[in-house]
Structures are given as structure tokens and as C-alpha cells.
Amino acid sequence: MRPTFIGFETARSALNLNQKSLDIVGNNLANINTAGYTRQRVTSAEVVSNTYNTRVAQNKTDTAGEGVELTGISQTRDSFLDKRFRDEYSDSSYYIQASNMFSDIEGALGDANDVSEGGNMIASSIQQIYQSLNDSASEPTSSEQANLVQSSFSNLTQVVQKISSDLDEVAGQEKYNLSTSIEDVNNSLQKIAELNDAISS
């Protein structure tokens, strides 16, 4: 025997589902120009016979057609494109960070092709040494030329020390950035773990 009010329950479940579907459609339309928004859709399934209906009904066919139920709201996404996006975004972040680091190193070393004052300091210092040695070769007994040679080598030593100090500073900054990033990741993972605990409890 078919339960008396099962028809009303079937209609009610259909109305509830379609109302939620209209809400989702309206939300999709409202966010049509929202950056990063992903279209949503309602997923549904047939209502499974409950204990009461099974007890009242004479057979399984009597409890068929009990309506529909909302099983969830999913996003219309392409899993392949999502994976590609995550991979490319990860690679992009890596290359951006590497580019910033190499820019800092380049700033410390200078342009290898620029031997002018304020350019590549090592190349400029070596050029000064080469010039002073050539001048000294033409006047080997000149104390002034000898002092210039000594001064040029001393200048190269100072340049190398400064570059070493600048590179140490770059390395220290990169280590600090890395430790900060690790701390941010750990904090995010902690929040995710707390959220999972809250959902499961």
C-alpha cells in the first residue's frame, strides 16, 4: 500500500530542489563579472526509502517515487585545466623569485660589459691594474708608477671585499625570505588542520 502523503512529500522535495537551483542560477548571474568566480551547479539524487515508508509499504515498488534530494553544490571546473593552472602558477612563482634573486646578485656584481666608473667594479679595477702595469713597464724605475700599481691592486682587493659583503647581504635576505615563507606555509597548514578538525567534530 502506498503511503497517503507521499505525493505531497515528493512535490515538496521537488520544490525545495528547484528553489535552490534558482538561487544558484541567480548567484551565477550576479557574479558573472566577478573576477575568479566559478559557475556553480546543484547536484541531486533520488530519495532513498526510509524506515517508516519501508515498514508501511507492501513492497519496494510502493516506496518508489519519493522525490528528490539535494546532494551538494559543485563548481563547474575542468580538472585538467585546474591542474595545469596550479602547476604553471607554481612554476611562475619560482621563476619570479629566482629572477628577483638574480637581479640582486647582478646589482652586487654589476654589468660585466660595463667597465666605466660605476659599472662592473671588478672589470674596471682589472682594467686599472692593466693600465698601471703598462705605464710602469715604460717607467720601471718610477716610484710613482710603482705606487699606482700598488694602489690599483689595493683597489681591486677592496672591490672584491665589497662585492663579497654585498653577496653575503643578498644571501642573508634570501634566507630571511625563505624562513618567512616557511612560517607562512606552516601557519596556513595549521589553519587548514584546525578547520578540518572543526568540520569533522
Side-chain angles (χ1 to χ4, degrees):
M1 178 179 177
R2 186 173 183 273
T4 305
F5 296 103
I6 192 172
F8 294 106
E9 184 63 24
T10 301
R12 186 186 69 83
S13 67
L15 288 173
N16 288 338
L17 178 67
N18 284 282
Q19 179 61 59
K20 177 56 68 174
S21 298
L22 289 175
D23 293 341
I24 296 301
V25 170
N27 188 54
N28 289 336
L29 292 175
N31 289 279
I32 192 170
N33 293 321
T34 302
Y37 179 78
T38 302
R39 185 165 60 90
Q40 297 175 331
R41 64 181 178 183
V42 169
T43 56
S44 59
E46 179 187 7
V47 173
V48 179
S49 301
N50 56 40
T51 305
Y52 172 78
N53 287 338
T54 303
R55 186 176 67 252
V56 174
Q58 298 298 320
N59 53 59
K60 292 183 178 180
T61 59
D62 290 336
T63 58
E66 290 190 10
V68 64
E69 62 179 348
L70 175 68
T71 58
I73 298 174
S74 61
Q75 294 181 324
T76 307
R77 305 177 69 97
D78 188 306
S79 58
F80 173 75
L81 293 179
D82 280 349
K83 183 178 184 304
R84 285 296 303 273
F85 172 78
R86 288 192 295 269
D87 292 343
E88 294 299 328
Y89 183 80
S90 176
D91 291 342
S92 174
S93 299
Y94 167 79
Y95 288 121
I96 289 175
Q97 189 63 32
S99 176
N100 293 335
M101 181 181 67
F102 289 138
S103 294
D104 293 338
I105 294 175
E106 183 180 13
L109 295 177
D111 186 357
N113 296 320
D114 185 3
V115 296
S116 62
E117 184 177 356
N120 185 281
M121 293 183 292
I122 291 182
S124 178
S125 298
I126 292 176
Q127 187 181 48
Q128 290 178 6
I129 291 175
Y130 179 77
Q131 183 64 43
S132 64
L133 289 174
N134 282 338
D135 294 341
S136 178
S138 61
E139 300 180 43
T141 59
S142 173
S143 59
E144 181 180 356
Q145 293 298 333
N147 289 334
L148 289 176
V149 171
Q150 182 180 2
S151 176
S152 62
F153 275 99
S154 176
N155 181 62
L156 176 62
T157 302
Q158 293 176 1
V159 166
V160 171
Q161 290 176 344
K162 182 180 185 307
I163 290 177
S164 176
S165 176
D166 291 343
L167 291 177
D168 288 341
E169 184 177 347
V170 171
Q173 183 63 41
E174 291 303 322
K175 289 180 180 179
Y176 172 77
N177 293 339
L178 180 60
S179 63
T180 303
S181 299
I182 292 175
E183 184 178 354
D184 291 341
V185 170
N186 289 336
N187 290 336
S188 298
L189 291 176
Q190 180 64 31
K191 291 179 180 179
I192 292 174
E194 292 174 356
L195 181 60
N196 287 334
D197 291 340
I199 293 174
S200 59
S201 60

